Amino acid sequence: MTVLAQALDAAVDTPRVDWLAIAPETVLFGAAVAIVLGRALARRRPLVDEASFLTALVGVVAAGVFTFVQWVVVDGDGPYQAIAGMVAVDGFAVFVRTVVLIATFLGLLLSAGYLRREGLEAPEYHALMLCSATGMMLMASANDLIVVFLALEILSIALYVLVAFDRRRVTSQEAGLKYFLLGSFSSAVLLYGIALVYGGTGTTNLTRIARFLAGTTLLEEGVLLTGLVLMLVGLGFKVAAAPFHMWAPDVYQGSPTPVVSFMGGATKAAAFAAILRVYAGAFELYRVDWRPAVWALAVLSLVVGSVAALVQTDVKRMLAYSSVAHAGYVLIGVQVGNEAGTTAALYYVMAYTLMVFGAFAVVTVVGRRGDRRHELADYRGLAGAQPVLAALLTLFLLAQAGVPLTGGFVAKLSVFDAAVDAGQYWLALVGMLAAAVSAFVYLRIVLAMYAPEDDGPAVAARPVRVDLAAAVALAIAAAGVLFLGLLPDVVLDFARDATQLLAAGGRAGA
Amino acid sequence: MEAVLFFVLAAGALAGALGVVLGRNPVHCALFLLVTMAAVAVFFLMQDADLVAIIQLVVYASAIVVLFLFVITLLGVDEHERLDEPHPFQRYAAIVLGAVLLVQVLVVIGNDWATGARSTVGPLDEDGRSGNVETLARALFTDYIWAFEVTAVLLVIAVVGGVVLARRSGRRLPAEGERP
């Protein structure tokens, strides 16, 4: 029998591809490829920049439309799994995708003026940002550890390049290299953990892992537990949880500021999506084992993040350490491990994405050409020269501190509420103390802005200019933060529905 | 026959490994690594794992060793490379960690304290299929099709990122206060 005849004999049943399930990622990636092709084929530069910007925006909006269609389907018919159980289409995925798309949309708007100001290559930047967002979207719906790993690599490798994008600044290159080396190391640790979990359960599919653990009692759990710990290390690195946060200050300080405003929230959203789906979903039965590890991560992140932020003088570094603390608050929600905890964690991620975007957006425009005026002294008297920008930064910082009427307050409240309900008084107490300490950090920046300018050097020599796209992005972020604070129920209900649909999806399975 | 082949190859693999560690010239070290990789590839072949054997040759013996040689030649290492060790304790740490790894492997072989899903034992081409290449291809195009397709994004990022980082920047960073 010839090889060909043999091949025809053994026809392969390829799985049915549900295009709706993967439509948002496909559209985003398609836009990225279109931008790269357009860049390669087109001749006139300025036109290419504008066209790639528009293509990227259209791609994000189209992905948003498909995500909304997914929500309608999931809300009506319940969650389901597609493409051989690799993709989970559930409310949880829709929620995280929404967060990622908001961050990408705002990030693109903010970057337009920045790229022009710094004279950077816009098409490549947009394509890499869309690729990174594709990875985050894949992560949101990944129902298999292999897809989790691939999605993490996709989002990270694009980010390594974006961080090093401004090659004329040594700090940007250094940040890119540091992020790349430490990130590859953490990816290897995650992969090692996945391999051990596969060894322990015989599958990488999260639904099948849950089913296997429900039906089997393992006499010796050493391999499985080691795998769980190593995976937590790998994912903890991505959310910048202490003690795996070492990269965050240098990377946040060195990379182009719009990149930080995009990755700060979106990367955390994607990585927390994986943590929640793997730990609170597939390994729900092993809660007793992983909760202490997450508890330790949460407490360390809260303490290290808030205390280390106190001694910084660079605003980007301050915000980097505060992002470590914010990872701690979300980890409180993860640690609680029930529906309320997951809901609170999701809400926190949404609020944090808007707050951190807004704060870094103001830092972007205040940094001026060269992206280097980020010392606290550079903010002295900003309120006099730029009252609107100063007021906006104040709003975003107060939201991060958790002041009432902002999204940050409701986010912190719901996380602490979930912890107290589950009897985790100490964790809630540490969280509240950390919130008090970090409030001081944010107030330092606010006070610097409203301080009289006379005793410092004349910093406003070169005026701060805000282009239209960045102004729109700032307005959207500010409106979002206020909306989350004044009418939290809309998003809280969304997060709660999303969590319930996750739970249902995890149990039914395909 | 099989035993003879095994011992010859095992001796070759060990000799290659010793050559990597003890060799003075970095190029020789890299070539010794090639010997070890090739010997291990034949081990895989003897276990009916033809795909793994080919991957061992293509990825490790070819791509990775060639990459090493590339780096060595690019850095311009001459024959009398002084192997200065900035951290002398590293050598001892390496010896201790190597011993720990050896003990670990021996312990894992000797015990079965790890329990998990039941594993399958036996040749991969049992059910009349033409070996594990086909089995793996089948898995790639059915259960793992999504993961397989998604790697395309990684390749696009690698190309775009490589171009972005390697291209010489045409524009100068304007000095502070200069008009654009």
Side-chain angles (χ1 to χ4, degrees), chain A residues 135-192:
Chain A
M136 293 164 184
M137 306 282 273
L138 289 169
M139 192 87 138
S141 67
N143 197 38
D144 191 290
L145 290 174
I146 294 180
V147 180
V148 168
F149 174 72
L150 283 172
L152 191 80
E153 285 299 279
I154 290 169
L155 80 88
S156 314
I157 293 179
L159 279 178
Y160 303 149
V161 183
L162 282 176
V163 165
F165 202 85
D166 193 354
R167 283 171 306 131
R168 298 154 311 175
R169 277 193 302 118
V170 181
T171 46
S172 173
Q173 293 190 358
E174 184 194 327
L177 191 66
K178 255 183 198 156
Y179 196 23
F180 169 65
L181 287 177
L182 291 172
S184 324
F185 189 67
S186 80
S187 296
V189 172
L190 174 75
L191 197 58
Y192 196 5

Side-chain angles (χ1 to χ4, degrees), chain A residues 304-352:
Chain A
V304 171
S306 353
V307 174
L310 283 175
V311 295
Q312 305 301 323
T313 55
D314 184 293
V315 172
K316 278 169 98 178
R317 282 184 89 84
M318 277 185 191
L319 290 174
Y321 276 110
S322 93
S323 88
V324 175
H326 284 293
Y329 296 115
V330 187
L331 281 170
I332 293 181
V334 177
Q335 197 271 346
V336 173
N338 56 18
E339 220 169 274
T342 307
T343 306
L346 281 180
Y347 186 84
Y348 202 107
V349 165
M350 171 76 95
Y352 177 69

Side-chain angles (χ1 to χ4, degrees), chain B residues 155-170:
Chain B
L155 295 180
V156 170
I157 296 173
V159 172
V160 176
V163 170
V164 166
L165 292 180
R167 189 175 44 200
R168 200 159 293 145
S169 169

Side-chain angles (χ1 to χ4, degrees), chain A residues 447-471:
Chain A
L447 287 179
M449 286 194 298
Y450 287 94
E453 209 187 323
D454 50 13
D455 51 344
V459 284
R462 201 182 160 76
V464 176
R465 270 177 300 179
V466 186
D467 61 309
L468 180 67

